[in-house]
Amino acid sequence: MKLIFPVIFILLFSTQSFSQIQGEDEVYLNNLILEPEFPGGMEMFYSYLIKRLDHTKIKSGEKLIVAFTVNELGEMKKIRLVQFKDETTAIEILNALKNFPKWKPAYKLGNPVSVELKIPIVFK
C-alpha cells in the first residue's frame, strides 16, 4: 500500500504540468510552438514602420504598446493599441500598421497557428 501512494502522487502532478504546457496562447521555443517572424527580423519591422509614419503627427517621448494577431497565413489582424497617451500618435500608428507585409506564421507541432503579439513602440 505504501508504494501506490507515491505513484499516484507523481501521476497527478505530471498530468497537471503537462496541461499547463498545452495553453493555446503560449509561445514556446521547444519545437512544439515557434514564434512568428517578421521578414528581416524585428529591426526591419521597426524600420518599415518608421518609413510609413507621418512624423509631424508623432509626439516625442510617446510610449505605446500595439497588439495584433498573426494568423495562419502570416497576416496581421485585429490590430489595436493597448497602451497610449496621445490620440493623434495612436491613430498614425494604427494607419501605418495597415497593409504591412506578411509575417512567417507561428507553428505548433509543424502546423501554422494564429498567435497574438504585443510589441512596445517608443519615440525619442
Side-chain angles (χ1 to χ4, degrees), residues 50-96:
I50 293 297
K51 290 177 185 174
R52 297 186 58 148
L53 294 173
D54 177 353
H55 296 278
T56 63
K57 296 180 180 180
I58 302 298
K59 183 177 178 182
S60 181
E62 182 72 7
K63 297 176 184 178
L64 307 110
I65 296 179
V66 63
F68 54 88
T69 300
V70 176
N71 69 13
E72 296 88 352
L73 302 174
E75 301 165 330
M76 290 174 58
K77 299 291 183 180
K78 301 179 185 175
I79 302 168
R80 67 190 192 289
L81 289 170
V82 293
Q83 177 182 323
F84 67 94
K85 292 180 184 175
D86 182 59
E87 188 175 319
T88 305
T89 302
I91 292 169
E92 184 61 21
I93 293 292
L94 290 174
N95 287 334

Side-chain angles (χ1 to χ4, degrees), residues 29-48:
L29 296 177
N30 61 1
N31 292 329
L32 291 178
I33 300 178
L34 297 176
E35 292 184 30
E37 294 178 25
F38 189 78
M42 288 308 294
E43 187 174 311
M44 188 62 76
F45 172 86
Y46 288 115
S47 176
Y48 191 83

Side-chain angles (χ1 to χ4, degrees), residues 1-8:
M1 193 69 168
K2 291 181 182 179
L3 293 177
I4 295 173
F5 180 81
V7 172
I8 292 173

Side-chain angles (χ1 to χ4, degrees), residues 18-35:
F18 183 75
S19 66
Q20 291 174 351
I21 293 175
Q22 298 302 316
E24 289 297 320
D25 297 328
E26 301 297 327
V27 177
Y28 296 92
L29 296 177
N30 61 1
N31 292 329
L32 291 178
I33 300 178
L34 297 176
E35 292 184 30

